[in-house]
Amino acid sequence: MASSLHQLLKEEGFEKGKLLKNQPDDSTALPIYICRGRKSSEITEHKDEKTVIRNGSSLFSSFKPKSDEPVIDEAAIKAVISILGGYTGRYLKDESYRAMVKDKCTSCLLSRRKAGSDGGIFMNMELGIESIDKLVEDRGNKKELRMKLFRNSIRLLSIVASLNCEKSRNGSTCGVPHSHLSACAQLYLSIVYKLEKNHRLSARHLLQVFCDSAFLARTHLLPDLWDHFFLPHLLHLKVWYHKELEHLSNLGNALKETQMKALSKLYNDQMDMGTAMFAMYYKEWLKIGAKVPPVSTVPLPSSSSYGSSRRRSSESHASVSSINRNLYQTVFGAATEWQSMELNRRIRTSIDICRLEAEENEFKYENYNQNKKKTHRRSSSSHIYSTPRTELLPETQKSGHFRFFSCQSRPKGCLVNGKIDVRNNSMINLEHLDLPLSDLSKAIATICSSDVLSDCEIAIRVMTKAWLDSHGDSTIEAALTKAPIIEGVLEVLFASNDDEVMELAILILAEFITRSKVNRQIILNSDPQLEIFLKLLKNSSLFLKAAVLLYLLRPKAKQMISTEWIPLSLRVLEFGEHLQTLYTIRCSPQVAALYFLDQLLTGFNEDRNLENACQVVSLGGLNLLMRNVEFGGVLERNKAALIISCCIRADGSCRHHVADKLNKAALIELMVGNCKDSNGSVIALLTELLCLNRRTQMMKFLNELLRGWGGLNTMHILLACLHKALPEERPLVAALLLQLDLLGDPFRCSVYREEAVEVIIETLDCEKCNDKIQQQSAKALTMLGGRFSYMGEATTESWLLKQAGFHENLEDSFQKKEIGDNFLDEGEEEIENWQKKAAIALLNSGNKRFLAALSNSMAKDIPSLARASLVTIAWMSCFLHLAGDKDFQAMASSILTPRLLESLNSNRVLEERVLATFSLQQIRKSSDQYVHL
């Protein structure tokens, strides 16, 4: 089969290091990968053992089995576990995802449930899910309680999962198939083992979901995982189904509807069988010390199975999806180029379907048959793809999904009257080419069908000359912007080492892209993993122009799966300050680089995004990004600020470097430049930079920010920003504005302080604000607490627990160290002074409304906001005696005491009860102190 797992592991970042042949020596240095390919000597040993099977224009191979099969490589196993773990890990982090999974399980079980005795099965399922949710939602439980919930959930769910044993597999309980019950139970077993960090066992249970009920899992429970992990293995079935469906849709017989239903059933049955087969295959992978399992094959169904009378020549050949016995070689091997060729066949087949759909949307008023003709892939190149690998000499072998050009060597020249016109100079200037339209036709025919690289390179020159001379002539444009021609140009780009030819190809492709979205889609479909662009970006002469061309395509993160993208993008960012001209197009490569980095740091799942951000930091990208915050267009500067904030979240230690080196005036200027647009990226960056562990560094940063830009008042700019900010941005802007205001006298009222406190009170109203606003409100309260670790994590709660005598129960030695480092005598006084000023300002300006808002948010019991409100009350209670008079003290006590007493209930976690007790003591002490004053 095509190397689908290879693509999948590349997407997750587990890719071997490989260098394209003829790579320039001065190309950028790339990081070392965790996996290595097989040695060339090993490849040679197996060359004679291959069996070649031709299927139309494709071929694929399989190695003969060996008796001494090696154990699967640990790196490959770790990669598969990582891919599967991303889906269960999301359950632990995303509340909406948890609700969705629960709803899906409930709907598929209850929708078919009938009256009758269930023997407690449904109750076991419900209680097991409830135990898991308690484990997820309350990480602060005692170790003994967590262990009890853990064991209880496993016991209950295992009872449900056992229904799918051999004896009762085909049975049902209250009308619900045992396979459905077992699949849901296995899904939650996967989650509970993920909670306990048993990642291998969690992955095995997740695969068992697809074994128990493949159809339910792939269509209802886990369709995203199936698309990502299983579909690449079964893509040939999907392509076959669409072709058969298209054939039936053109028939007019009376049996058409019956045949289509039969086809659908046959397709689903085959897809379910293949899904279950590959799920079992990977389960075998994950056994401790497992050997490589047997080959998995999923054949295409026969058309006669559902009554079709169509006969195709390809049906006379075996057509299966197969995995090499030694799958590690398939994933990481250097010489499995035949798999790329097979994948190329499947991709090109499926492109016809996808492109038809895309063009229907693009030209929905045009005739369907005309579209079909436009998108038909050339058949004249089929002999190229069926050329056995052994017929190619080493110097012309290319990896990837493109044409293999032959080794024929011809002198460079022009196609004139069907002959080769040899030129003395090796570089042909376009000005010398003066060819009639008939020679353009020959060039087009050459680029579409020839496997001689030198001829195709000459054809590129001829087409480029014709394009330039046409000055936008619609006839020339129509002739050149066809799918086979664009694909041919891409193939030359991939194979050629002639910089001039490659540059001409880049220029003409850029023109095609700007003419039509269809041309853009043809390129993206032809090079789905952007392998051509990886090659071009490594070229020290063309990488800036290549970056601009790729930017015009606007690729998404899912296409940029190689670990090489980060260093290549940073190189473009570093050297791309000058505009690049591609005929009629002028663009900054730095704009392109920032687009790529934005995709790479925000377009994947959370773990992959953080890994990419850490790589940016480790490669020295922060200095480049900080430079781009100062210079360039507003959009690019905002993007640079957002990327820096992503880097700080990934590696908290770098915030100190950024806080020292970043031009604060540039940030204020950017806020002004955003005008009516959101300042979200700037606010996100400032929020991260205000989580510094040393108060002296924090004060230095705030003072530099206060100096402003161009004589403008920073406070006034922030106030204007507060008024136009998005609802979820308002609490963070308010916290920033308040901290700047507190650089002055805390007892002196100001309009900035009043506005900031008012916004904080509003966003604490749980009934009016959504989840996102509540999370940002909790973050704003945390910022006002003023205590952070070196990595930027809030330590106010830990400090309060230490003050309450609870520090001996903090088992995390790292946390103890952070607390100790953060509260050295030299810094404690500054932090205490800050908290005192913040408490006075909040209590005097917010008064009763602020205290009531904190109390109410605790009462609503929203996890993050309730806890942040409790911590805020706890540290502010230390300074309660400094605000207001006797009446204020009484009022504060009457508002806070009842709510704090509720927090002493035994169902609360211990830390909350300690914080509530500490707060009550401080309130009592504050009242006593005020009496004695």
Side-chain angles (χ1 to χ4, degrees), residues 183-380:
C184 293
Q186 293 289 354
L187 174 57
Y188 274 96
L189 281 170
S190 173
I191 292 166
V192 75
Y193 281 113
K194 181 73 174 179
L195 265 170
E196 294 305 308
K197 303 192 184 323
N198 192 335
H199 304 299
R200 185 186 291 254
L201 194 52
S202 172
R204 282 178 58 82
H205 279 289
L206 192 61
L207 289 169
Q208 188 62 41
V209 177
F210 293 90
C211 297
D212 287 351
S213 183
F215 184 81
L216 181 70
R218 69 182 180 86
T219 62
H220 184 69
L221 290 179
L222 297 164
D224 290 342
L225 175 57
W226 184 80
D227 286 343
H228 188 53
F229 193 79
F230 292 98
L231 180 58
H233 294 299
L234 304 167
L235 189 60
H236 64 295
L237 293 179
K238 192 166 188 176
V239 172
W240 171 85
Y241 173 68
H242 280 285
K243 283 188 173 182
E244 297 297 319
L245 197 62
E246 183 181 4
H247 171 69
L248 287 180
S249 65
N250 294 326
L251 298 178
N253 59 47
L255 297 176
K256 175 179 174 180
E257 185 176 347
T258 303
Q259 289 180 342
M260 291 184 80
K261 288 181 179 179
L263 171 63
S264 179
K265 183 180 185 306
L266 181 64
Y267 165 71
N268 280 310
D269 289 346
Q270 199 76 354
M271 199 62 97
D272 290 345
M273 181 193 75
T275 299
M277 185 182 296
F278 281 110
M280 287 301 299
Y281 183 91
Y282 287 117
K283 274 194 71 180
E284 291 296 313
W285 259 51
L286 300 181
K287 286 183 178 179
I288 302 295
K291 303 291 184 181
V292 178
V295 176
S296 296
T297 60
V298 184
L300 290 179
S302 170
S303 299
S304 59
S305 302
Y306 64 93
S308 173
S309 60
R310 181 166 61 145
R311 291 292 180 266
R312 293 173 296 177
S313 60
S314 60
E315 288 182 359
S316 62
H317 302 285
S319 182
V320 298
S321 169
S322 63
I323 289 185
N324 192 305
R325 292 180 65 257
N326 188 348
L327 195 54
Y328 178 67
Q329 176 171 336
T330 304
V331 179
F332 301 109
T336 53
E337 293 168 359
W338 57 267
Q339 294 179 353
S340 296
M341 295 164 68
E342 169 64 2
L343 179 60
N344 183 60
R345 178 187 68 82
R346 291 183 186 162
I347 288 175
R348 290 180 185 279
T349 306
S350 62
I351 283 172
D352 287 340
I353 298 167
C354 299
R355 195 182 297 141
L356 281 173
E357 294 173 353
E359 291 196 359
E360 274 186 7
N361 293 331
E362 187 72 24
F363 306 107
K364 59 185 177 181
Y365 297 110
E366 292 188 11
N367 182 272
Y368 172 78
N369 291 325
Q370 290 176 345
N371 283 339
K372 189 172 180 182
K373 289 178 182 177
K374 286 182 182 179
T375 60
H376 181 66
R377 176 67 179 149
R378 66 179 178 270
S379 60
S380 58

Side-chain angles (χ1 to χ4, degrees), residues 4-17:
S4 50
L5 182 62
H6 187 184
Q7 301 296 327
L8 193 58
L9 298 185
K10 283 172 67 179
E11 185 172 339
E12 298 298 327
F14 290 90
E15 183 192 15
K16 70 176 183 62

Side-chain angles (χ1 to χ4, degrees), residues 404-417:
F404 287 89
F405 289 97
S406 75
C407 301
Q408 290 178 271
S409 177
R410 294 185 182 176
K412 293 186 177 181
C414 295
L415 292 174
V416 180
N417 298 323

Side-chain angles (χ1 to χ4, degrees), residues 683-870:
I683 298 305
L685 179 54
L686 287 172
T687 300
E688 295 297 335
L689 293 176
L690 286 173
C691 298
L692 297 165
N693 68 323
R694 296 290 181 187
R695 198 68 217 173
T696 50
Q697 188 182 14
M698 173 79 80
M699 299 300 287
K700 177 175 177 282
F701 181 85
L702 287 171
N703 278 300
E704 290 176 353
L705 204 61
L706 193 60
R707 293 192 191 111
W709 165 77
L712 298 178
N713 187 328
T714 300
M715 303 281 282
H716 189 70
I717 293 170
L718 277 173
L719 184 60
C721 175
L722 180 63
H723 290 158
K724 70 175 185 178
L726 297 174
E728 62 269 22
E729 296 169 358
R730 284 169 60 80
L732 298 177
V733 180
L736 174 59
L737 182 60
L738 183 59
Q739 290 186 76
L740 287 171
D741 182 77
L742 290 178
L743 294 175
D745 187 352
F747 291 97
R748 184 177 178 180
C749 292
S750 73
V751 64
Y752 307 115
R753 183 182 305 170
E754 295 298 326
E755 288 262 10
V757 174
E758 182 63 28
V759 168
I760 292 173
I761 292 172
E762 288 177 3
T763 55
L764 286 173
D765 189 339
C766 304
E767 294 179 355
K768 295 181 180 179
C769 302
N770 59 33
D771 292 345
K772 198 166 186 179
I773 298 174
Q774 291 164 5
Q775 291 173 3
Q776 300 298 66
S777 297
K779 193 167 187 177
L781 291 178
T782 301
M783 289 170 62
L784 295 175
R787 296 180 182 270
F788 301 95
S789 70
Y790 183 77
M791 298 298 289
E793 297 170 350
T795 58
T796 305
E797 180 178 336
S798 301
W799 175 79
L800 288 166
L801 293 172
K802 180 182 178 181
Q803 300 303 304
F806 187 67
H807 61 284
E808 63 271 13
N809 291 313
L810 299 176
E811 297 177 359
D812 191 338
S813 60
F814 175 76
Q815 192 175 27
K816 285 183 179 179
K817 182 179 184 298
E818 291 284 51
I819 294 172
D821 288 345
N822 200 36
F823 301 111
L824 297 173
D825 291 340
E826 62 188 55
E828 179 60 22
E829 185 177 349
E830 286 87 350
I831 296 174
E832 188 173 331
N833 286 336
W834 159 259
Q835 287 188 322
K836 184 188 299 181
K837 294 172 73 173
I840 291 171
L842 288 167
L843 292 171
N844 285 344
S845 297
N847 209 287
K848 179 179 179 179
R849 291 181 62 235
F850 179 63
L851 294 174
L854 289 174
S855 176
N856 290 336
S857 67
M858 285 178 60
K860 298 297 182 183
D861 207 22
I862 297 170
S864 60
L865 187 54
R867 187 72 164 251
S869 298
L870 176 58

